[in-house]
Amino acid sequence: LTGVVDAAVLDLGPVIRSVYPNDGPEPQPNTGIDADREKPFSLPEVVSNLDIDLRLAIDQIVGVPGELRNATARLFFGDGRLRLPASLNVLGTTVGGEAILSRQEEIMKLSVELAADKTDLGRVAGEWYGGAGVAGRLDGLELSASASGASLSALLKNLDARLDIRNVDLTIDGKSASRPMRVVLDAATVTLPAGAGLKGTVTGKMIGQSFSLNVAGGGMRDILEKSRWPVDLRFVGSGARLHLAGIFSPLGDTAGPELSIRLSGDRIGALAAWTGISPSATMPYVMDAAGSLHRNRWRLEVRRLNLGNSTLRGSIGGKLSANRQLKASLSVHSDSIDVAQLNTLFI
């Protein structure tokens, strides 16, 4: 059987909602067959005995995060094995690879290999978080995934995935920053095991200083639903130790990232390239804080800031009015101030 299928729009929203309904308990991995809950994946006998060669073309895919366009594929099916070499435009980047689906008795097995080059990171940041002032490129990425199960739902729930990224050059130009911040990533690896949360490691340079980063986050359900996403991030660089923990979610009027922050180090002068303070400053530092960012307001509450012999606490925030005017607030309290020691920060 041969043929050509052209479609203007493919909506994957109903498929995702059938796998991860909005209510009910968090889905658990299904490594076998549960006849009461899952309808086995099978093809009619007449189709199973055919050799199929179909060419597929889809102009746009909706119902998933991001902009997916110009999907083309060629589907081969024979001897109970489906092979699908494909190409897809994701936010302006061409992603190519192959998926293979096979069956052993009542269990389906899926493997996927994808690769992409020259990704526009500014466009990705704008789509996911409405980020402005972000520009850069990603030279290459490779994605591999595998799963097994008795149904389409089981395959998605049991998916194991790994992403490897190489050579990222990113510039963040915030409106309040005196100069753009450049981030260069040498390598990054992200894994997403079935039924578990994301884990990742990154090495690179930021403002010319080497750093390492370890990340733990939400699972496949959080990613597909583009919902509140738990994150735990640990950064080490220039003698500083940074720990962020909380929730990332898309910006809204009453929703957005909410994080607890802890920053510490033995010598604050080691942060000279990041902060502009004197590299000869020797005092240790510790900060415990909590921050939130919504579409029209933000707030950072510093619960404790120990800087050498000085101790401070306070908060800073901002809110945009209906006519886009910024109203800022600032409060600072101190139990002790060592003025002579603080003067060394800028000498």
Side-chain angles (χ1 to χ4, degrees):
L1 175 67
T2 61
V4 177
V5 177
D6 290 316
V9 178
L10 173 63
D11 187 358
L12 293 180
V15 176
I16 294 172
R17 289 191 292 272
S18 70
V19 177
Y20 299 118
N22 291 329
D23 52 5
E26 184 77 12
Q28 299 297 318
N30 180 5
T31 57
I33 302 173
D34 185 345
D36 293 331
R37 297 177 57 192
E38 300 285 356
K39 182 178 179 180
F41 181 91
S42 62
L43 291 171
E45 188 67 25
V46 64
V47 176
S48 299
N49 293 330
L50 289 177
D51 289 329
I52 299 174
D53 182 352
L54 291 179
R55 297 178 185 273
L56 311 175
I58 302 169
D59 294 337
Q60 183 179 10
I61 299 175
V62 299
V64 293
E67 178 185 297
L68 310 182
R69 294 184 178 274
N70 303 329
T72 61
R74 189 170 182 180
L75 184 152
F76 300 94
F77 181 82
D79 297 325
R81 182 173 179 267
L82 182 149
R83 187 166 65 87
L84 186 69
S87 177
L88 176 67
N89 186 295
V90 182
L91 297 174
T93 299
T94 299
V95 180
E98 183 176 68
I100 297 176
L101 182 66
S102 60
R103 183 176 66 184
Q104 293 182 356
E105 296 180 350
E106 294 299 324
I107 299 296
M108 305 301 299
K109 293 190 175 182
L110 172 69
S111 66
V112 179
E113 300 286 342
L114 297 175
D117 296 318
K118 310 302 181 186
T119 300
D120 183 346
L121 296 178
R123 190 170 179 181
V124 174
E127 169 65 28
W128 277 84
Y129 294 107
V134 177
R137 75 175 197 281
L138 182 157
D139 279 353
L141 65 84
E142 295 178 355
L143 172 68
S144 61
S146 62
S148 62
S151 67
L152 177 60
S153 295
L155 285 175
L156 290 177
K157 291 177 183 178
N158 298 333
L159 191 68
D160 280 298
R162 177 188 174 99
L163 177 66
D164 291 291
I165 297 173
R166 66 179 187 276
N167 298 336
V168 175
D169 196 331
L170 180 67
T171 301
I172 303 172
D173 189 4
K175 293 181 179 179
S176 60
S178 59
R179 59 178 179 174
M181 180 174 66
R182 186 184 180 199
V183 181
V184 177
L185 305 185
D186 301 321
T189 299
V190 179
T191 60
L192 186 59
L198 175 148
K199 294 186 181 298
T201 59
V202 180
T203 58
K205 290 185 177 181
M206 187 180 299
I207 321 178
Q209 304 294 311
S210 297
F211 73 90
S212 65
L213 177 68
N214 291 282
V215 180
M220 180 64 73
R221 180 177 189 172
D222 303 301
I223 294 172
L224 289 177
E225 292 184 346
K226 200 178 179 182
S227 59
R228 293 169 61 84
W229 196 59
V231 65
D232 185 283
L233 181 151
R234 298 173 187 268
F235 172 96
V236 177
S238 297
R241 299 173 293 275
L242 174 65
H243 181 203
L244 302 179
I247 298 292
F248 274 108
S249 60
L251 289 177
D253 293 336
T254 59
E258 299 176 359
L259 297 171
S260 64
I261 306 163
R262 180 177 176 84
L263 175 67
S264 63
D266 299 328
R267 190 176 70 84
I268 197 168
L271 299 180
W274 304 69
T275 62
I277 64 176
S278 172
S280 62
T282 60
M283 63 191 74
Y285 57 95
V286 176
M287 182 185 74
D288 288 311
S292 63
L293 175 64
H294 297 166
R295 179 176 290 120
N296 295 316
R297 60 187 175 91
W298 59 273
R299 179 177 174 82
L300 177 65
E301 180 182 357
V302 179
R303 297 161 180 164
R304 176 179 65 136
L305 174 58
N306 292 349
L307 193 54
N309 298 326
S310 301
T311 302
L312 301 95
R313 67 185 186 278
S315 64
I316 183 172
K319 182 177 181 180
L320 287 175
S321 63
N323 60 358
R324 311 303 293 174
Q325 295 295 312
L326 176 63
K327 180 180 180 181
S329 62
L330 172 66
S331 65
V332 179
H333 305 273
S334 176
D335 297 322
S336 63
I337 292 287
D338 187 331
V339 176
Q341 190 181 53
L342 291 178
N343 281 337
T344 66
L345 292 174
F346 305 102
I347 295 177

